[in-house]
Amino acid sequence: MTKEELFNRYLDHQLSSEALIEFKKLLETEGGREEFYRYIKETTTIAHHLKQTSNEEFVVDEALTSLVQKSEQHLIQSLREKPIPVKEEIYFRSTLRPKHLLAFAALIFLSLGSLFFFEVIRVKEFTVQKDSGKAVARITKLNGVSNLKEGQWIKPGEVYLESGELELSFDSGARVLLQDKTKLLVEDENRAFLKSGILSAYVPKEAKGFVVNTAKASIVDLGTEFSVIAEDERIDIHVFTGQVEVISESSSLLVDEGKGASVAIKGRISEKLSKAASAVVRVDRSKIPLKSAFIYWPFENESGQGYKDQGNGGFGAFYDLTFGEKVPTLSSGKYGNGLVFSGKKEYLQSEFKGIGGASPRTISFWLKLPPDLNKGEHYAMVAWGKIAPTEKWQLGINLIGNNGVKGAIRTEFSKGYVVGVTDLRDGRWHHISSVFIGGDDADVATHVKHYVDGKLEGVSGYQAIKINTATSGEKSKPAFIGKYINHDKWYMRAAIDELYIFDRALTPAQITLLRDSELKPE
């Protein structure tokens, strides 16, 4: 395992016991600690570039409080002076989990160049103060708010709710319900700043570490469902399930299921169960239906010269797959049977022209890669379009070192790409989703999101370019699986199963549904 992968898995709480020992030994050296420190800095720098464009005027994010500065200083001191103790779960001396400190570190580093220039757009019941960066959440439910639509994307900025209820689904998977008169600053996919009002949050395991900042304290999720009421004089927290850590400038407190806490002036935290906080309307955790046009290739049994499309025909027809030059092997898959491609001229083709222009789309499937995957064997899980800048659409695996993490998922276009952070070459099944949110001025750097095993991926490399996928014209190619779109020399070596193509950007909750079952959407 490379140091980069070791650091990334540690920050995501995904280290095995053997890897924990390796990580501890690395941080016992001054050089190892410095490398880890630089990795955090470089990771947050990538996030910074994704959020900004040229010719912007920047102002300092008001959420950059003394609490955040103190936490970052503690992080740097811990990395430079002391090795990190390794237990069943690892903590820094400040008691903050590393993923949370990474979020705090991001604020510090981003403040060096400052953060966002906001353009305010006002409406009657609801106001969103938007920036020009990437969207990090979307509206998934509304009640009593008449002038907004479900599915609307939200960029970092302030959300003002004057009445009713509004649910935001963050890209990390966290879901937040705002109620009555509430002001919330959406900071990124893992963090929000509750200025005033009422909030309830449901944070699934994929989003563990979600942070709700307030003027008096930070509430750090440890896998839970909780509510927060922010008033001028105090903050009230109630934990419905799981556990949160409440952190102020002067102290911290773990709050367990069924209990509460109050944070008053000067950051004093007390264990106190507020009736108001415990009576807050909770996030509706019922399943979100996948109402969409979709193609579904389960690869269960051969039918004639290929495999049947078992989707809903929402694209106007059913698009079966037929064999290319050679036939991939039908073998045991994630659910029932799947396909194994040997990298030797095996591929499948269809008459589906693909999803064109800058329209939203999601491609979701199970993937298993061999540890010894070689260049030329890393394309393509799915591809369509025209071989021209901005006009093709292709999912593959990154094996170009200066483009990002080797072995990570790669969504690309001629002259543009975005690469994830997880090396998938481990011989195990992984659930993969590539989500394109679409819209005006859609760019790979801000509009493509990857999920691995239901969890939002970071970005290890990208090359920005506007998206305009070509699905018509003599040189446009319909969707196929297993072959590089540019030429007939590279073929995929991998196993795949349960492949879906949707005509919309799925939410994290919907992606989790696909991951957890052999699901047939409505």
Side-chain angles (χ1 to χ4, degrees):
M1 185 182 300
T2 65
K3 291 178 183 178
E4 186 179 62
E5 180 68 3
L6 192 69
F7 294 157
N8 183 61
R9 292 195 179 188
Y10 166 67
L11 292 170
D12 287 340
H13 301 286
Q14 294 179 350
L15 286 181
S16 64
S17 57
E18 294 81 5
L20 281 175
I21 295 172
E22 181 182 350
F23 184 70
K24 177 182 178 182
K25 288 180 179 179
L26 181 63
L27 293 193
E28 285 174 348
T29 67
E30 181 178 354
R33 292 194 294 276
E34 290 291 341
E35 283 190 73
F36 185 48
Y37 174 76
R38 283 195 299 271
Y39 177 76
I40 290 177
K41 182 175 180 179
E42 289 167 1
T43 303
T44 57
T45 299
I46 289 173
H48 178 46
H49 286 309
L50 286 176
K51 289 176 180 174
Q52 65 171 310
T53 59
S54 59
N55 302 319
E56 281 189 325
E57 177 184 352
F58 295 111
V59 294
V60 176
D61 188 341
E62 61 185 281
L64 190 62
T65 62
S66 59
L67 167 64
V68 175
Q69 295 176 11
K70 181 179 178 181
S71 299
E72 171 60 12
Q73 290 164 3
H74 212 152
L75 167 64
I76 296 172
Q77 181 180 353
S78 296
L79 287 174
R80 292 179 182 272
E81 297 178 3
K82 276 195 172 184
I84 299 173
V86 176
K87 300 180 181 178
E88 182 178 350
E89 291 195 49
I90 302 176
Y91 291 81
F92 285 104
R93 289 168 50 224
S94 65
T95 75
L96 286 171
R97 292 174 185 259
K99 187 172 182 180
H100 314 148
L101 282 167
L102 177 60
F104 291 141
L107 281 177
I108 292 297
F109 288 119
L110 294 177
S111 72
L112 298 177
S114 299
L115 284 177
F116 307 113
F117 173 70
F118 294 113
E119 174 188 359
V120 179
I121 300 174
R122 294 190 176 277
V123 293
K124 184 176 180 182
E125 297 103 334
F126 172 90
T127 302
V128 180
Q129 191 171 355
K130 293 186 176 181
D131 80 333
S132 59
K134 66 174 182 177
V136 297
R138 79 183 96 173
I139 299 170
T140 44
K141 285 188 180 179
L142 293 168
N143 182 17
V145 183
S146 60
N147 54 347
L148 293 173
K149 294 181 179 180
E150 291 187 11
Q152 180 176 333
W153 288 93
I154 303 296
K155 296 178 181 180
E158 288 187 340
V159 173
Y160 299 90
L161 181 67
E162 295 185 3
S163 61
E165 296 176 354
L166 182 148
E167 182 187 89
L168 295 177
S169 287
F170 286 74
D171 285 344
S172 62
R175 291 162 62 187
V176 166
L177 181 66
L178 309 182
Q179 300 160 51
D180 299 329
K181 197 173 184 67
T182 297
K183 293 182 179 181
L184 183 78
L185 175 64
V186 175
E187 298 181 84
D188 60 29
E189 60 271 5
N190 292 301
R191 191 176 67 251
F193 190 106
L194 181 62
K195 293 186 172 183
S196 62
I198 303 172
L199 171 154
S200 61
Y202 165 62
V203 186
K205 62 181 181 180
E206 293 81 17
K208 186 176 180 180
F210 186 79
V211 179
V212 176
N213 291 313
T214 70
K216 294 180 173 62
S218 292
I219 298 92
V220 181
D221 157 74
L222 303 180
T224 189
E225 183 183 6
F226 62 94
S227 68
V228 184
I229 298 178
E231 299 175 336
D232 291 338
E233 299 298 322
R234 56 186 268 172
I235 307 295
D236 286 316
I237 302 105
H238 176 74
V239 179
F240 297 112
T241 61
Q243 187 182 63
V244 302
E245 185 171 15
V246 181
I247 307 163
S248 73
E249 291 190 57
S250 58
S251 61
S252 65
L253 176 70
L254 289 175
V255 184
D256 295 320
E257 182 174 325
K259 297 183 179 180
S262 178
V263 186
I265 298 173
K266 296 183 180 180
R268 188 177 68 253
I269 304 173
S270 59
E271 292 189 62
K272 186 174 182 180
L273 186 60
S274 165
K275 291 183 179 179
S278 62
V280 168
V281 176
R282 297 166 66 172
V283 173
D284 182 2
R285 294 171 58 180
S286 59
K287 291 184 178 181
I288 302 175
L290 303 181
K291 295 181 179 180
S292 169
F294 70 96
I295 288 171
Y296 172 40
W297 293 312
F299 310 120
E300 286 304 315
N301 298 291
E302 291 183 19
S303 177
Q305 293 299 309
Y307 294 93
K308 290 286 187 182
D309 170 14
Q310 296 186 20
N312 62 1
F315 288 105
F318 291 90
Y319 294 95
D320 298 341
L321 288 166
T322 57
F323 299 131
E325 187 171 344
K326 292 187 177 181
V327 179
T329 302
L330 186 66
S331 183
S332 177
K334 178 62 181 181
Y335 293 107
N337 292 326
L339 291 182
V340 178
F341 294 78
S342 70
K344 297 179 180 179
K345 299 186 177 182
E346 300 165 352
Y347 67 97
L348 297 168
Q349 54 197 2
S350 76
E351 294 184 358
F352 176 56
K353 292 183 178 181
I355 299 170
S359 297
R361 66 205 69 164
T362 299
I363 300 174
S364 185
F365 55 96
W366 285 94
L367 174 70
K368 183 165 67 173
L369 294 177
D372 60 344
L373 188 72
N374 297 313
K375 185 177 180 180
E377 300 174 334
H378 58 308
Y379 286 110
M381 275 72 81
V382 185
W384 66 72
K386 181 180 177 182
I387 306 169
T390 81
E391 297 187 28
K392 77 173 181 180
W393 192 264
Q394 180 167 262
L395 268 68
I397 298 298
N398 182 61
L399 288 183
I400 304 173
N402 60 3
N403 283 183
V405 172
K406 286 187 176 182
I409 188 70
R410 175 186 177 112
T411 297
E412 73 168 43
F413 337 88
S414 294
K415 306 300 182 182
Y417 61 84
V418 60
V419 178
V421 298
T422 302
D423 187 345
L424 301 167
R425 299 170 296 174
D426 59 7
R428 295 184 295 176
W429 285 106
H430 292 283
H431 190 257
I432 307 297
S433 294
S434 175
V435 179
F436 176 52
I437 71 174
D440 297 335
D441 296 320
D443 192 301
V444 56
T446 53
H447 289 62
V448 173
K449 306 171 190 295
H450 289 141
Y451 291 81
V452 173
D453 297 327
K455 186 171 184 178
L456 180 68
E457 280 278 275
V459 175
S460 63
Y462 69 92
Q463 181 169 307
I465 194 169
K466 295 294 187 289
I467 303 302
N468 186 24
T469 312
T471 57
S472 61
E474 183 179 347
K475 294 184 179 180
S476 292
K477 299 181 180 181
F480 58 89
I481 302 169
K483 184 174 73 69
Y484 189 35
I485 193 172
N486 289 43
H487 54 66
D488 296 331
K489 298 177 182 179
W490 291 355
Y491 296 83
M492 178 174 68
R493 184 160 68 98
I496 64 170
D497 196 8
E498 302 294 314
L499 196 153
Y500 292 86
I501 300 175
F502 297 90
D503 69 347
R504 65 186 60 194
L506 298 190
T507 67
Q510 291 168 334
I511 289 170
T512 300
L513 288 179
L514 287 176
R515 179 201 66 186
D516 290 344
S517 63
E518 193 176 10
L519 183 70
K520 294 186 178 181
E522 297 180 6

